[in-house]
Each structure stands twice: as C-alpha cells, then as structure tokens.
Amino acid sequence: MSAATTQLDKLFNLDWTLSDQSAFDARAKAMTPFVTEDVVKNSLDFKPDPDKTMTQTGVSMTYDHMDFLPISASNEEVTAKVVVFAKSRLKDAPEATTRYVYDVSYNPKNNKITKLDRLGNYQLQSDSSVL
C-alpha cells in the first residue's frame, strides 16, 4: 500500500497545486504517466476547462495532504477512499481548505492508478469561529 500512497501523493500534488490557468491546463499531461488510459478518458480530473475558471476567479491552489483509507489490497489491486486536502487563495479572502473525496484503485504490478473517481468536494473556512 505504500507504493499506492506514494503514487497518489505525486498525482494529487500535480492535480491540486495550481498557481494559474496555465498550470490547470497543463496538469492532465503531467498526471498521465501515473494513470491508465481509462483514467485519462474517464476521470473528471483530466477534463479540460473551456470556461477558464481559474483565470475568471483568480483563485490559486496548493495540495496540502491526503488521507488514504484502504478498502481492499491484493497483489492485483489496491482500492481506497482518499480525501485530498487543498488550500485555496482568492485575492483578499482568507485561505480556505477544500476536501476532495475520491474512489481510487491502484495496480501494484504496473504501478499505475486505474480508477480516479472524484465524488465531491467540501469547503472548510480557515476561520473556525463561524462554526
């Protein structure tokens, strides 16, 4: 499982460290060596952004860490839920943490992520006094 967490950590660092729109646009190509062709075709994280959301909003993001919650592990496949924590900044607003939840699968034989399904995201304000 440590090989799976190592590969996922590398992938999510590329996926969620985004300084601007050009970084967002380049992320799919950078992530491709870590995943299978099916993931490239089917994962939301590999879809282009025709609306140029990062340019429009001015947001930037930095991958912070992930929580890896294994479901099953064998010589053929590791499956897990992963919660990715990313810090986002928007002009004068306080930094916020967003959690992205994924269903993932990893193949230890080819060292590739075979499933990367983003289930949703959860916004957390950095100011806990509002809770």
Side-chain angles (χ1 to χ4, degrees):
M1 280 197 289
S2 73
T5 58
T6 298
Q7 286 298 85
L8 286 163
D9 196 55
K10 290 176 187 175
L11 179 86
F12 289 129
N13 190 48
L14 293 168
D15 199 2
W16 294 112
T17 299
L18 304 167
S19 57
D20 55 25
Q21 189 67 45
S22 63
F24 184 96
D25 294 342
R27 75 182 185 162
K29 184 176 181 181
M31 294 188 307
T32 298
F34 297 95
V35 302
T36 61
E37 189 61 37
D38 279 349
V39 171
V40 172
K41 287 181 194 169
N42 299 316
S43 175
L44 183 60
D45 293 42
F46 284 83
K47 302 294 181 226
D49 176 20
D51 299 323
K52 305 295 181 199
T53 306
M54 294 194 73
T55 297
Q56 286 189 43
T57 62
V59 71
S60 64
M61 300 184 81
T62 305
Y63 170 71
D64 189 55
H65 71 282
M66 70 173 181
D67 287 346
F68 182 82
L69 310 165
I71 296 169
S72 67
S74 71
N75 292 336
E76 307 293 320
E77 181 181 60
V78 174
T79 62
K81 292 256 191 239
V82 175
V83 182
V84 174
F85 295 78
K87 304 279 186 190
S88 58
R89 285 162 300 290
L90 179 60
K91 297 178 182 127
D92 297 331
E95 182 178 79
T97 298
T98 302
R99 294 178 182 174
Y100 297 94
V101 179
Y102 290 84
D103 276 334
V104 300
S105 296
Y106 167 79
N107 182 325
K109 291 187 178 190
N110 68 11
N111 197 30
K112 297 233 182 204
I113 296 151
T114 58
K115 180 180 183 182
L116 186 69
D117 291 348
R118 191 177 345 148
L119 304 176
N121 63 294
Y122 305 90
Q123 196 74 23
L124 297 176
Q125 294 298 327
S126 59
D127 180 4
S128 62
S129 67
V130 298
L131 300 177

